[in-house]
Amino acid sequence: MKLKRLMWTFLVATAALGVLLCAPGASQAQQGTLAGKVTDARSGAPISAVQVFVVGTQVGTLTDANGNYRIASLSAGPRQISAMFLGYRTETMEVNVLAGQVVTLDFQLAQSAVALDEIIVTGTAGRQDRRAQAASISSYNAAAINEVAPVTSVATLLQARTTGVSISTASGNSGSGQRIRLRGSSSLELDNEPIVIIDGIRADSRNSQIYGVGGQSQSRLNDINPDDIESIEIVKGPAAATLYGADASAGVIQIRTKRGRPGVAFSQTVSYEQGIIQQNWTPPANFAICSATHVADSRRALCFGKEAGTIISDNPLERYDAFREGSSRNLSWSGRGGGENYGYYLSFSADQEAGTLPNNYYDRYTGRVNFDFTPREDLQMEVSTGLGRTNTDLPNNDNNIYGYLGGGLLGSPLSVGGFANDGWYSANRQVEAIRNLKNENMSIRVSPVFTVRYTPRPWFRHRIHAGLDMTRTEARAYYPKNDIGWYGTVDLNSGQISQGRQNRDEITLDYMGSIQRGFLDNFVADLAFGGQFVAVRTDLTNATGIGLTTNAANA
């Protein structure tokens, strides 16, 4: 009930703020339109995704695949227009916008080996030029990486892209989580994981697993579709804790999702991929030495009839054909475009992956709607909602007596033959017994975000973020009823079901203002101020039932 009241309060406040900020002024200046093309100064080839904006305002757009851009609803009069793109020198030109007319302004950008004027989009406060920032910030174009590399998760986007970022995965199973470190561990007791911020809102990025499966866990970062990401910035310096509090002492990963493009015609992308996951790994064999007692025991198949001291080997994982050929499928669609003063981005994706172990599955379904609206030159509003559902089934692993690797690698060749172990660590616990274990997690995630950027003066800027990252997780651990004694205890062998439900809500309200003034011709002063409210609430409920009537009654 409290959460519902909070959501209604958030929606009412958002609507009231939008009406207040979008209310027309007492007088409206006549407006015109600016259009043009951005090309390479040397080759004349068009440059796509160039940021073209009106200096001192929130108005801007990106060039399309042919280098064309269009900015509508500009007040008549002289304007300074800048074109900026990584690897090129930023160009600024003056133009006189005429009321009711379309004015053409073309840019020819020269390549530059040193990008001193690169803009930091989300990483810090104050001036946005990279050379003006004291913090160590790494940034890269995630959308460009997605176009040329096989990216299946956020971890893949972060791996080996910049210095100081270390990512280690708990296992090779599909859907398993990862550990992220920025410049190594920063504390012996506190959390060393960096916080993740998506479109200005604190996001749940934990590695969590309600029921353990031997050192593995699922990561909430796996809920995010990497195709929706436009850019990533990683704050590794002291500015992380300065801007986001002590929680950010281990660093901050800023993710910016794709946005619409005002004045650009609608375009869409559809893709389908299918692949095979091969094991490409041979598990090591187990070795033993036959004693005189062993070679005389007919139950010991590998020693019987041989000489004492004979070295024998066995590979139960291969003998029982524990591994399989995995598969992956992906279907995705996205569309983006915009009108005179608005832009939109829509997407949907479905990913299904089966690992190389029999009970390892990972399915992800995501959707996203981003809408940007610029009612005035000094005001920009962004509304976005991310939706997702993730189903993960992780097998027991690591040094685990109910896992494939633990059971196989800790076995002994001396038990092969007339023993219940048959080369495995535990009696009667071979592939069939382990395959029937289930540890399933289903998570639903909703992330609404509302952002306002207001620039009453070219030197005075405001930014407000409000949003909620809400996750609902249901977990299920299942041991089937059996008469063979697979799992070692009476309770487990009689059939056991455990169910857990976890609710996680992260609420963010963030305001930041900045003042930038120049003096003495060669100096610029920056002042940033603001505040942030972050609330996190987690609820967890568990229940366990023992003694199944039949294995079919396991819901």
Side-chain angles (χ1 to χ4, degrees), residues 267 299 320 340 368 399 458 470 472:
S267 62
R299 295 176 303 169
Y320 274 80
E340 292 292 316
R368 174 165 288 275
N399 189 12
M470 182 174 65
R472 298 291 180 265

Side-chain angles (χ1 to χ4, degrees), residues 160-228:
R161 307 294 178 186
T162 184
T163 60
V165 179
S166 173
I167 299 179
S168 56
T169 304
S171 74
N173 290 320
S174 298
S176 61
Q178 59 281 320
R179 185 183 68 180
I180 302 175
R181 293 291 182 267
L182 304 183
R183 292 181 171 177
S185 299
S186 59
S187 173
L188 295 176
E189 297 182 357
L190 300 178
D191 190 1
N192 286 290
E193 292 287 332
I195 65 173
V196 176
I197 296 177
I198 302 177
D199 291 337
I201 300 301
R202 183 81 67 90
D204 185 1
S205 59
R206 300 167 300 143
N207 286 331
S208 62
Q209 190 74 19
I210 295 179
Y211 300 114
V213 280
Q216 302 173 99
S217 60
Q218 56 176 335
S219 172
R220 294 273 65 87
L221 287 180
N222 290 341
D223 299 342
I224 304 170
N225 179 14
D227 288 336
D228 288 338

Side-chain angles (χ1 to χ4, degrees), residues 6-41:
L6 178 62
M7 286 297 296
W8 278 111
T9 303
F10 169 73
L11 293 174
V12 171
T14 297
L17 182 61
V19 171
L20 177 64
L21 294 177
C22 293
S27 61
Q28 291 281 351
Q30 290 183 312
Q31 297 177 333
T33 300
L34 182 67
K37 188 171 186 176
V38 181
T39 58
D40 186 293

Side-chain angles (χ1 to χ4, degrees), residues 260-392:
R261 298 176 179 177
V264 177
F266 174 74
S267 62
Q268 59 182 331
T269 302
V270 180
S271 68
Y272 176 77
E273 299 177 2
Q274 185 166 346
I276 296 174
I277 303 175
Q278 295 181 337
Q279 180 187 344
N280 290 329
W281 172 72
T282 301
N286 300 322
F287 291 85
I289 299 177
C290 297
S291 67
T293 303
H294 296 152
V295 300
D297 189 346
S298 61
R299 295 176 303 169
R300 303 186 186 275
L302 299 182
C303 287
F304 182 65
K306 295 184 172 59
E307 295 183 359
T310 301
I311 298 176
I312 60 174
S313 65
D314 176 51
N315 196 325
L317 291 171
E318 281 197 327
R319 183 160 49 88
Y320 274 80
D321 196 20
F323 297 94
R324 67 181 181 183
E325 185 177 76
S327 63
S328 64
R329 293 188 297 271
N330 168 262
L331 173 64
S332 63
W333 172 87
S334 64
R336 68 196 310 179
E340 292 292 316
N341 57 354
Y342 66 89
Y344 55 87
Y345 172 80
L346 309 169
S347 74
F348 168 80
S349 72
D351 297 87
Q352 296 180 334
E353 188 171 303
T356 57
L357 289 176
N359 44 349
N360 178 209
Y361 299 93
Y362 168 66
D363 299 337
R364 180 182 63 203
Y365 307 92
T366 66
R368 174 165 288 275
V369 178
N370 290 350
F371 182 76
D372 302 345
F373 180 47
T374 308
R376 303 198 305 255
E377 292 184 23
D378 58 354
L379 178 65
Q380 184 181 31
M381 304 173 65
E382 299 176 0
V383 180
S384 62
T385 299
L387 303 172
R389 172 171 174 158
T390 305
N391 301 323
T392 307

Side-chain angles (χ1 to χ4, degrees), residues 512-524:
M512 180 170 290
S514 61
I515 297 175
Q516 179 187 118
R517 298 303 299 267
F519 61 96
L520 299 180
D521 296 332
N522 296 319
F523 295 90
V524 175

Side-chain angles (χ1 to χ4, degrees), residues 403-436:
Y404 295 96
L405 299 184
L409 300 182
L410 296 178
S412 172
L414 299 174
S415 66
V416 175
F419 294 88
N421 292 54
D422 196 28
W424 292 76
Y425 175 75
S426 298
N428 299 320
R429 198 176 300 152
Q430 287 86 38
V431 171
E432 183 181 0
I434 302 175
R435 181 190 292 122
N436 280 278

